[in-house]
Amino acid sequence: MAILELRGVDKSFGALEVLSRIDLDIEEGKITSVIGPNGAGKTTLFNVISGRFPASAGAILFKKRDITRMKAPEITLAGLARSFQITNIFKRLTVSENIFLAVQTKSPQRLSLFSPAKGLKEVGKKSNEILGRIGLQKWADVPAGQLSHGDQRHLEIGMTLATGPELLMLDEPTSGMSPAEAAQTMDLIKDLSRDFSIMLIEHNMDLVMNISDRIAVLNFGRKIAEGSPEEVADNPEVRRVYLGGV
């Protein structure tokens, strides 16, 4: 069953067409990767789905609900959360404070130092659960800016978890990582896929081929292929435009 459905989605900036007639289903409980050369439209696709940019045409359905014209905060509250290609954390705050603030945004009441102790305790409990899930409990009291690049990316993933999503959209989560950090991130994503549907943009082809259930390939704003990792790797068009004919 598809948790996210795109039907004929276009995006243009003036006369420049960046996405053209994108049809795509993201299956519930699966990892779907979106790949393609630089400039293929991958991040624009994420921006349109998450409400950062409005689609020029077409429809986007999340759990059968039309979210095409919804704003980004509404889409997040509906259960779709994304990370960004550039790390987006509060570097002067501690790791736990970053998660606490993210959890607070989902809280039914705005918290402060004068909030009821029960509310603060519940947010703290949820924050600790997320820290454990992303493997950063031992760094809880460390300023986020002192973390390694890989751990900063994991912290950002934790902040997306704090919004209570059903679908995680991860934009190049291993960008700038060492091979060891990328391997740790792959393990984290695999673990998260037990509880969340995941949509992934990634240039690390080893990770994509090893972790994905489905792969969609974009080129010049058009979807040119979709299928299992094996099907995509064997697709002649993908080999020609993306893998260099290898």
Side-chain angles (χ1 to χ4, degrees):
M1 176 180 173
I3 190 170
L4 181 72
E5 303 167 68
L6 279 65
R7 297 290 177 261
V9 172
D10 291 353
K11 179 59 186 175
S12 296
F13 296 95
L16 178 63
E17 186 179 57
V18 182
L19 297 174
S20 178
R21 298 182 178 278
I22 301 294
D23 291 317
L24 182 63
D25 287 349
I26 304 301
E27 295 297 321
E28 188 172 8
K30 303 293 185 180
I31 299 175
T32 302
S33 293
V34 179
I35 65 172
N38 289 332
K42 303 181 297 296
T43 295
T44 299
L45 180 66
F46 264 35
N47 285 334
V48 168
I49 293 170
S50 61
R52 192 172 177 87
F53 298 149
S56 300
I60 304 170
L61 305 178
F62 179 62
K63 297 173 61 179
K64 304 301 181 182
R65 179 184 180 186
D66 192 337
I67 63 170
T68 312
R69 302 301 170 198
M70 290 173 61
K71 302 296 185 183
E74 297 175 289
I75 292 173
T76 299
L77 289 173
L80 189 157
R82 68 165 292 184
S83 69
F84 289 84
Q85 188 174 357
I86 299 173
T87 306
N88 191 17
I89 60 175
F90 300 103
K91 293 188 176 183
R92 293 188 178 183
L93 298 181
T94 67
V95 170
S96 61
E97 287 169 342
N98 271 270
I99 297 295
F100 189 96
L101 287 174
V103 173
Q104 183 180 335
T105 65
K106 191 71 173 181
S107 175
Q109 59 181 352
R110 189 172 182 85
L111 298 178
S112 71
L113 292 176
F114 303 101
S115 298
K118 181 180 179 182
L120 291 170
K121 184 177 180 180
E122 289 175 352
V123 172
K125 179 181 178 182
K126 179 65 175 178
S127 300
N128 286 331
E129 290 174 355
I130 292 172
L131 285 172
R133 190 72 188 265
I134 61 176
L136 293 182
Q137 278 182 320
K138 64 180 179 180
W139 307 116
D141 297 324
V142 173
Q146 294 182 17
L147 295 177
S148 68
H149 175 68
D151 282 341
Q152 287 186 16
R153 298 292 286 178
H154 293 175
L155 174 58
E156 187 182 19
I157 291 173
M159 292 171 72
T160 66
L161 296 180
T163 65
E166 295 181 55
L167 173 62
L168 284 174
M169 299 173 62
L170 306 178
D171 191 350
E172 296 195 31
T174 68
S175 177
M177 288 187 182
S178 67
E181 289 174 328
Q184 290 177 342
T185 301
M186 183 169 69
D187 289 341
L188 174 60
I189 294 171
K190 282 182 177 178
D191 177 68
L192 293 175
S193 70
R194 295 183 296 129
D195 300 305
F196 305 95
S197 305
I198 295 176
M199 188 176 182
L200 183 72
I201 293 175
E202 184 53 63
H203 279 109
N204 184 328
M205 293 306 298
D206 287 338
L207 184 149
V208 167
M209 291 299 174
N210 280 292
I211 204 172
S212 304
D213 296 299
R214 302 281 295 176
I215 299 174
V217 187
L218 300 186
N219 189 45
F220 292 115
R222 297 177 181 271
K223 188 183 78 174
I224 62 169
E226 182 181 359
S228 68
E230 295 77 16
E231 290 169 337
V232 167
D234 289 339
N235 185 292
E237 182 72 359
V238 174
R239 287 173 173 268
R240 185 180 68 82
V241 304
Y242 187 69
L243 301 177
V246 177

